[in-house]
Amino acid sequence: MNSHGGPFDVVTLGETMALLSAPRIGPLRHARSLDVAVGGAESNVAVGLTRLGLRVAWLGRIGDDEFGRLVHGTLAGEGVDVSGAVVDPGAPTGLMVKARRTNTSTEVTYYRAGSAGSRLCRKDVDAALLRGARVLHVTGITPALSASARDAVDAALAEADPGTLVSVDLNYRQALWAPADAAPVLRRLVERCDVLFATESEARLVLGDPRAGSGADGPSPVELAVQLADLPGGPRQVLLKRGARGAVAVVDGAVYEAPRHHVEAVDPVGAGDAFAAGYLAELLAGSDVPARLATAAAAGAFAVTVSGDWEGLPRRDELALLQLLDADDAVVR
């Protein structure tokens, strides 16, 4: 039994880092102060799910330092179960630095080599937390951190109950590994999951398509999603994220399109995690595909309107306010 008195809706694992961000636009070297927060793809999803009313546990490693205590306290404060977090006295908590170089571009730099999160390993995977979970959510980031972190993902997949849905967000990070190294590992994840989140470029990477960009001579987003679903053992639900252009989905062979929202993007980092959280929340609620995509798109829209990777994620009672984000007069009276 866990601290919630029963199985979790979702369990996720990965590295959560301290996040330093410059409050003003411009080169980071000119910043005179930095805001301190936390960020990590898997924990972003965990927070998004808890705000939408689900019970979520996060597994990961943090350093025995102030940044590690910040990660632990922040996630616990958002209602995420962190009883499976491991404190590593021999390595620091990873660090992410974010700066807005211009009004429309964000630069993210990672300091995670040798971090506590990169030392995540098979024995860190708490089988008791996984028992009875409805969804296990992992990303393609964790296998890129180290061989032991890759083993941890494999262990989680092996320990998950047969009835647990496996959700994967590919989240390819070129700073962590080369395409040739990433492709076979990510492809194996695709072939082992039930729900897949990917971008067009990530889909091409997994499928071995040499064309780097989209165009008339390459597969359409729908064709890419279908090809991913058709891989041996491939996922029945494929969500292809397209940023400001929305998203397409292929679910049980049927094609759907997510609604688009016209909002002022303050910080685009974390939008994909918000999308995944919204979709998974509705999936577990038994909603149909259009409703899943509507909440996913809404969560993504909320996320980009606020600085920070997860701070703008909506509660369920806030989803109805999305029409205000699209409107010219957004005053709630």
Side-chain angles (χ1 to χ4, degrees), residues 16 62 66 74 76 96 113 138 144 170 213 328:
T16 298
I62 51 178
E66 284 299 300
T74 299
M96 175 168 49
V138 299
L170 291 181
D328 293 328

Side-chain angles (χ1 to χ4, degrees), residues 39-242:
E42 300 84 4
S43 56
N44 293 344
V45 172
V47 172
L49 287 165
T50 60
R51 289 191 178 181
L52 292 172
L54 281 79
R55 297 165 298 165
V56 188
W58 172 78
L59 299 171
R61 269 192 180 231
I62 51 178
D64 186 14
D65 51 31
E66 284 299 300
F67 286 149
R69 286 182 273 279
L70 173 65
V71 169
H72 191 279
T74 299
L75 296 183
E78 285 292 326
V80 177
D81 187 285
V82 290
S83 60
V86 176
V87 178
D88 187 338
T93 303
L95 185 64
M96 175 168 49
V97 181
K98 186 162 59 175
R100 295 176 64 197
R101 183 62 181 83
T102 70
N103 193 45
T104 58
S105 65
T106 300
E107 298 175 348
V108 179
T109 305
Y110 298 102
Y111 298 88
R112 59 203 312 177
S115 67
S118 72
R119 287 158 51 125
L120 187 71
C121 62
R122 181 175 292 267
K123 67 181 179 63
D124 295 335
V125 177
D126 188 338
L129 288 179
L130 287 166
R131 194 170 301 125
R134 300 171 70 191
V135 171
L136 168 64
H137 178 76
V138 299
T139 77
I141 298 172
T142 309
L145 298 177
S146 66
S148 68
R150 192 175 308 171
D151 285 343
V153 173
D154 288 338
L157 293 171
E159 290 286 353
D161 292 344
T164 298
L165 291 175
V166 175
S167 167
V168 170
D169 194 332
L170 291 181
N171 267 334
Y172 172 65
R173 297 289 187 266
Q174 63 181 2
L176 294 177
W177 52 355
D181 297 324
V185 177
L186 296 181
R187 183 171 177 125
R188 285 196 295 274
L189 282 178
V190 172
E191 293 173 347
R192 298 172 73 179
C193 77
D194 302 289
V195 183
L196 176 68
F197 301 92
T199 64
E200 292 177 65
S201 61
E202 290 166 348
R204 292 188 181 86
L205 175 64
V206 167
L207 295 167
D209 191 323
R211 289 162 289 209
S214 59
D217 60 337
S220 70
V222 171
E223 289 169 332
L224 288 171
V226 169
Q227 289 176 32
L228 289 170
D230 286 344
L231 289 174
R236 294 177 59 183
Q237 304 182 53
V238 178
L239 294 302
L240 211 63
K241 301 174 293 184
R242 309 185 67 217

